[in-house]
Amino acid sequence: MFDTIEFLKQLISTDSSQPEGNEQRVAELIKGVLPPCFEVSCIRHSPGRCTLVAVLPGEQRSGAAVLAGHMDTVAFGDPAAWKHPPLQPVEEDGVIYGRGSADMKGGVAAMTGAAIRFAALGKKPRSPLILVYTADEENLGLGAVAASESGLLEGMGSLIVAEPTALGLGSCEKGALWLRFTVKGVLSHGSRPEIGLNAAEAAMELCLSLKNALPKAPPHPLLGVNTASVTGIRSGVGNNVIPADAEATMDIRTLPGTDNGAILEAARRLCLERNAQDSRWDCRVEVINQRPAVETDLSSGPLRRLGRLLEQRGLTSRPKGLFFYTDASQIVTKIPAPFAIIGPGDDKQAHQTSEHTERASVLAAEEIYFEYLKSTLL
Ligand SMILES: [Zn+2]
């Protein structure tokens, strides 16, 4: 008999932290618990890393209900700083501690439990049930990209991403554009700045100019405004030296309707303008990570059905905006479909030391997914 909470504990004790990920280990555990009626495909990314797609076929191919979760976690830092060791799940008063408990092995356990229960009903669904377990969500989203390009998700009718929202109904998420400026100028003595080209100052100015050039979109009711933050500056050889090299990174978060490509163009233009001032400048910008913002139609069938299920449990069906990105941004931009981000655990626990989630929240999520699958596919 499948026990969702025991399975969550097994997932936590299986290290899949970035940057290595090693999602293969988690994929093996999942494969081990799915009943044989699921057709399981592994998409390999590199040794030890894969994305798993499991399909319970339906009478027709279209209208598939897709549940998605990522298998990787962020690193856990210094284990001594944790209340309990990060890879040894400990349950205390209904609270389960461990890396990934909230983000998002709790969601992965709940969607797996719901799918196993659904399959156990023994009824052929109208449309397929597809489970997507991705690798590398916490970095570049390799897994979500590969899954959406694999052809396995064709016919997707709706997508639920089981990320932690404390069972709130996420209907939109901000996009992200992470940039790195690299600047080469000319070294000089600190007392003779006029004969050098100060790369540190140029990097600073490029960042601030881009920040000022950010599109001023009107505030979104759930997501606020576009933001741009300088998240790193590296430069300097000595207090009395005008530096010739600098590097700066920015984390830009965008609203639906704001074009990340236009912001990147603005960054490139700023570099070109600087380079045109003196042929010795070499300013460049590169993209580290790029996700479009996504928003779903609030009146779509899946969201209405989910909303009703939440209300029946005394939970709110008011849509919620997510400030962070999820695999939804990689999937629905390639295969458009209504989507929701809803899962157990609090997103404030994500990436934290002593990360934890409540047993009750995981079980409630499983119940909601199970009811959702029944109402959508039978
Ligand atoms: Zn996550």
Side-chain angles (χ1 to χ4, degrees):
M1 183 72 182
F2 180 77
D3 181 325
T4 305
I5 299 297
E6 276 316 303
F7 187 60
L8 167 57
K9 291 177 182 172
Q10 284 178 34
L11 291 173
I12 293 171
S13 26
T14 307
D15 184 5
S16 57
S17 57
Q18 290 274 10
E20 293 84 8
N22 285 314
E23 293 90 347
Q24 179 87 39
R25 299 176 191 157
V26 177
E28 295 300 332
L29 272 183
I30 296 167
K31 268 202 284 188
V33 299
L34 289 177
C37 51
F38 281 91
E39 295 165 1
V40 178
S41 311
C42 285
I43 307 170
R44 269 173 221 298
H45 306 299
S46 56
R49 307 200 74 171
C50 70
T51 285
L52 198 72
V53 179
V55 180
L56 178 69
E59 281 162 13
Q60 59 190 36
R61 282 194 61 135
S62 63
V66 180
L67 300 180
H70 62 83
M71 298 184 283
D72 58 321
T73 69
V74 292
F76 39 81
D78 176 12
W82 283 61
K83 185 172 178 196
H84 302 290
L87 297 175
Q88 284 170 34
V90 169
E91 185 168 354
E92 255 177 22
D93 302 323
V95 176
I96 298 158
Y97 289 83
R99 174 52 88 222
S101 52
D103 186 14
M104 60 167 284
K105 290 179 170 174
V108 164
M111 67 186 243
T112 306
I116 292 173
R117 281 169 66 190
F118 181 78
L121 296 173
K123 296 181 184 161
K124 177 119 177 156
R126 260 198 315 273
S127 298
L129 159 58
I130 304 181
L131 305 170
V132 184
Y133 300 96
T134 61
D136 194 46
E137 191 272 348
E138 297 289 4
N139 189 23
L140 299 178
L142 280 178
V145 172
S148 21
E149 290 172 352
S150 67
L152 293 163
L153 308 191
E154 247 156 60
M156 178 168 84
S158 65
L159 169 70
I160 290 185
V161 181
E163 287 273 6
T165 62
L167 301 179
L169 186 55
S171 65
C172 52
E173 61 182 52
K174 273 190 145 175
L177 178 63
W178 299 353
L179 298 179
R180 181 186 292 117
F181 286 105
T182 45
V183 178
K184 285 196 184 307
V186 175
L187 196 80
S188 70
H189 193 282
S191 65
R192 299 297 306 278
E194 71 282 2
I195 58 174
L197 290 175
N198 191 326
E201 288 183 3
M204 205 169 72
E205 286 161 14
L206 285 169
C207 288
L208 293 179
S209 303
L210 187 62
K211 203 171 153 117
N212 289 332
L214 204 65
K216 304 266 182 297
H220 184 284
L222 301 175
L223 296 173
V225 294
N226 288 329
T227 59
S229 308
V230 181
T231 48
I233 291 196
R234 279 200 315 189
S235 183
V237 275
N239 208 51
N240 55 351
V241 180
I242 302 298
D245 292 284
E247 191 181 283
T249 51
M250 290 188 82
D251 184 345
I252 299 162
R253 301 290 172 141
T254 53
L255 298 176
T258 294
D259 179 11
N260 286 353
I263 299 174
L264 176 60
E265 263 322 296
R268 288 202 174 114
R269 220 168 28 245
L270 287 167
C271 288
L272 291 176
E273 281 167 18
R274 172 70 61 158
N275 293 345
Q277 286 169 13
D278 187 308
S279 62
R280 293 172 301 167
W281 280 120
D282 183 3
C283 302
R284 294 161 194 239
V285 62
E286 65 180 313
V287 175
I288 306 169
N289 190 10
Q290 208 289 91
R291 306 285 186 113
V294 287
E295 184 162 33
T296 200
D297 178 7
L298 299 179
S299 64
S300 68
L303 273 191
R304 282 214 308 271
R305 261 197 308 279
L306 262 178
R308 275 199 301 274
L309 287 169
L310 293 173
E311 281 163 11
Q312 284 163 13
R313 281 167 179 73
L315 298 163
T316 176
S317 62
R318 211 169 339 115
K320 181 172 171 170
L322 277 79
F323 284 71
F324 53 93
Y325 59 76
T326 74
D327 278 336
S329 65
Q330 305 278 35
I331 299 175
V332 295
T333 41
K334 296 188 178 66
I335 310 170
F339 68 90
I341 302 137
I342 176 168
D346 193 329
D347 68 337
K348 288 188 215 67
Q349 281 302 318
H351 306 191
Q352 291 292 318
T353 299
S354 299
E355 179 180 352
H356 55 268
T357 195
E358 287 173 9
R359 161 190 278 267
S361 175
V362 176
L363 295 178
E366 179 187 321
E367 198 60 31
I368 290 164
Y369 302 150
F370 177 58
E371 292 298 329
Y372 175 76
L373 293 175
K374 282 199 296 182
S375 66
T376 305
L377 298 177
L378 294 182

